[in-house]
Amino acid sequence: MVDYHSAGQPYAYGGNGPGPNGDYMAQEDDWDRDLLLDPAWEKQQRKTFTAWCNSHLRKAGTQIENIDEDFRDGLKLMLLLEVISGERLPKPERGKMRVHKINNVNKALDFIASKGVKLVSIGAEEIVDGNAKMTLGMIWTIILRFAIQDISVEETSAKEGLLLWCQRKTAPYKNVNVQNFHISWKDGLAFNALIHRHRPELIEYDKLRKDDPVTNLNNAFEVAEKYLDIPKMLDAEDIVGTLRPDEKAIMTYVSCFYHAFSGAQKAETAANRICKVLAVNQENEHLMEDYEKLASDLLEWIKRTIPWLEDRSPQKTIQEMQQKLEDFRDYRRIHKPPKVQEKCQLEINFNTLQTKLRLSNRPAFMPSEGKMVSDINNGWQHLEQAEKGYEEWLLNEIRRLERLDHLAEKFRQKASIHESWTEGKEAMLKQKDYETATLSDIKALIRKHEAFESDLAAHQDRVEQIAAIAQELNELDYYDSPSVNARCQKICDQWDVLGSLTHSRREALEKTEKQLETIDELHLEYAKRAAPFNNWMESAMEDLQDMFIVHTIEEIEGLIAAHDQFKSTLPDADKEREAILGIQREAQRIADFNSIKLSGNNPYTSVTPQIINSKWERVQQLVPKRDHALLDEQSKQQSNEHLRRQFASQANIVGPWIQTKMEEIGRISIEMNGTLEDQLNHLKQYEQSIVDYKPNIDLLEQQHQLIQEALIFDNKHTNYTMEHIRVGWEQLLTTIARTINEVENQILTRDAKGISQEQMQEFRASFNHFDKDHGGSLGPEEFKACLISLGYDVENDRQGDAEFNRIMSVVDPNNSGIVTFQAFIDFMSRETTDTDTADQVIASFKVLAGDKNYITAEELRRELPPDQAEYCIARMAPYQGPDAAPGALDYKSFSTALYGESDL
């Protein structure tokens, strides 16, 4: 059983399990979250869902105040599901971290999903984050599954069944017309009508007025809360003040009325049985008529359609054939799908009809001649064969007519592409831009010309394709062949001119290239060495300015060592800088000597000497700044290391001390030497010694606070965290308190049952002997062995198993699978001491009543102390026997009830 309470007390609740059908209320699966945008509806849902949840949670002694906050850790959500389902969920996680809450909520969602519920767009993270829309949606899904799904009225279920139930119950009442779960309930009359139908003594319906909805609603809600145990889920003002009350809130409220009055429906069952039988007959006759009509219509349509599909008359133009194809597509897309559905529905209706007839012991249905399902399938097969051949013929005809149009269009397209490509190419090949170009410009022009030559060669295939298409069009006698031939000839002539100009331009470019190579070689050498050096300086500046985050002294010392290694490379870097600048000066000297005018900067790089010098100065400035930053961080990490060692030293003492005390308590609880009073005094002294150790925990908390303030996240000097220490300390206090409580309970049991000290020691010795793991409890097999040792006949036979199961139901009523020592003591004391029984109490009441079968309030007040007399009067039911007198009370049922729970 899941532990939801700090004291570790389990709670088990009975209830019905899930229904056999997990697919319920399919129309409600996609919960309409957009409706929650209306604040009034959200307010109503919050009130209703909160009250509904509390009506179940109060069975477990708890409740919620804020529906989207109180379910965030998943604990009360899992408890709610256990209460309403009567089943146990997996044990929740006790931590308060986000991951623990998400895991708890996921366990609840998994349980809901296991009941066949689709959770659309509802995730654990949204519930943990307090998302109001998702939380209300999840609660609505739970309400649907556990409060509304199983509602069934005349073969309708869930929402439709609940609405039909309301309509049937309120039909005789004036001014009530239930058509939905919003507007129909706004004036309050429907709520009052439901109550009056089942409990007429609670409502004076004729005095209610339709124009006073607030009074009507308050009257119904107050009566339901007072007499029907239905909590008030909405305020009358919320419903009246809203144009359209929230449907989900109303459905939830109304479902409570349904469950409260569900027992009253037995009277309607007999009245509906005859109607149901007649309805089956009428429905079967209706299905037969529908089948005959649907089969006739479908066969007639097949008969009309097949000749049209078998028509193979060719058309002269592609437009006409395309129209035929479009008509066929309309047939496939528009006309045929409904017939496919009709055919499917026909077969479904036929099978459904036969099944219903068979289940109701009626003879099988035999359709008219020629209208059997097999007749329709044969006609449908003929239709699809004609359809397949018709489509193939249409496509072949269209392909044939498209061929000529496609070739002509292909020629025009390729010719246009080629003409667009050649536009401006002759002018480009004739220009003399190389006469004023630099070497880099010349090389670029050569590469560009090489690319053009490759492009020219690639276009050779297109020219050949154009000529081939023109030839094919001539062979097929295309009507516009003259214009095609003229355009093809023009393209071929232009192609020859482009080839000649391309060859001439290449020779001119190669001649000019050789004249500028000498100076360019120096520029290239400069670029090759300047680029990596510039990248090195940029990387160095980036590294020197890079933010660093370290957590240990080793990490900062590693950074300092890397920085020292970097500084050792600076002299070599300065030599490389001087060499690179020397290359640039040499290139300028040669240009000046030969009166060459260099056009702009180095064409191979944008890294100028000015840039190199500027970045070098920046590196020189950043080095000392980095030195200071690393030294400051080193000092900080040394301080953090001191805090780690200080905390670890204390934690390594406190942690083992707590573990030792836990083990000692375990030994004490098992051994239990001396009288129970001696044991109790010894345990309380032991408890005080633990409390006196609290300053050590406080000191550790102070040290932990310093670590948190310093943002220290790990500590290699200890395996203990503050959370471990806190949990261990809390468990230690809880364990000693629980052990003391067990001894106090044993004293109460001993004194109440008159058990001697020797008997208690004998019970403890027997229990400890079979408690092999010293866990303070016995498993079923260990407990059976203990009983056998005490003389109980619980051997492995039918009679012994029955006796053992009876005893187990007494000592383990919650089916937890274990027997505690307290339960063992209670059982043994019950077996060895005399106790009162219900029969004895009934006999005593009979004496007070003067041998009558009932007793009066006056007799109770005369014979019993005042407080006990009033206790009996308040709880005794009126006596219903034939000899009853005015004010007679039933003392027999009262006495039986006193022992009912113990007997279980």
Side-chain angles (χ1 to χ4, degrees), residues 821-841:
F821 181 66
Q822 185 61 43
F824 178 73
I825 289 295
D826 291 342
F827 171 75
M828 294 304 299
S829 63
R830 186 182 307 170
E831 293 290 312
T832 57
T833 60
D834 184 27
T835 58
D836 293 326
T837 66
D839 290 339
Q840 293 173 337
V841 174

Side-chain angles (χ1 to χ4, degrees), residues 546-564 626-641 644:
D546 186 27
M547 297 296 294
F548 55 83
I549 299 177
V550 296
H551 300 290
T552 65
I553 189 69
E554 291 81 4
E555 292 178 356
I556 189 61
E557 289 175 351
L559 290 178
I560 292 174
H563 183 64
D564 291 340
R626 185 72 169 187
D627 289 334
H628 293 310
L630 291 172
L631 291 176
D632 291 343
E633 183 63 27
Q634 185 182 33
S635 175
K636 176 183 175 183
Q637 290 302 322
Q638 289 172 346
S639 175
N640 290 350
E641 182 66 12
R644 288 190 184 94

Side-chain angles (χ1 to χ4, degrees), residues 40-48 234 238 242 245-246 249:
W41 286 2
E42 182 177 355
K43 178 181 178 183
Q44 293 176 28
Q45 289 189 12
R46 282 179 178 274
K47 285 185 178 181
T48 306
L234 286 172
D238 292 339
T242 305
D246 180 67

Side-chain angles (χ1 to χ4, degrees), residues 318-432:
I318 190 172
Q319 290 77 14
E320 291 174 334
M321 290 305 298
Q322 286 175 339
Q323 183 58 48
K324 274 184 168 289
L325 181 60
E326 187 64 28
D327 293 341
F328 178 74
R329 287 172 177 167
D330 287 342
Y331 157 79
R332 292 285 296 271
R333 185 176 58 253
I334 299 173
H335 303 297
K336 184 180 178 183
K339 300 303 177 182
V340 174
Q341 187 174 0
E342 289 178 12
K343 177 177 177 293
C344 179
Q345 189 61 46
L346 190 71
E347 295 174 356
I348 292 173
N349 290 352
F350 181 83
N351 293 333
T352 301
L353 175 59
Q354 299 292 42
T355 300
K356 288 186 174 183
L357 290 172
R358 183 174 63 255
L359 293 176
S360 58
N361 294 323
R362 268 67 165 186
F365 168 62
M366 181 61 66
S368 303
E369 184 177 358
K371 296 180 182 178
M372 294 289 292
V373 173
S374 58
D375 297 326
I376 295 171
N377 287 337
N378 291 335
W380 192 266
Q381 185 177 6
H382 187 191
L383 175 76
E384 289 187 332
Q385 289 174 351
E387 176 183 311
K388 181 179 179 182
Y390 187 69
E391 184 178 19
E392 292 174 353
W393 175 77
L394 283 175
L395 294 175
N396 289 334
E397 281 296 303
I398 290 174
R399 290 191 193 100
R400 184 182 66 82
L401 294 173
E402 281 181 339
R403 180 61 180 166
L404 281 177
D405 288 348
H406 173 71
L407 283 174
E409 181 59 29
K410 187 175 181 181
F411 174 83
R412 288 190 291 269
Q413 182 181 7
K414 288 185 177 293
S416 296
I417 293 173
H418 178 79
E419 290 166 350
S420 176
W421 180 84
T422 58
E423 185 177 355
K425 293 296 188 295
E426 287 188 26
M428 182 270 292
L429 293 171
K430 291 178 180 179
Q431 63 183 348
K432 299 186 182 297

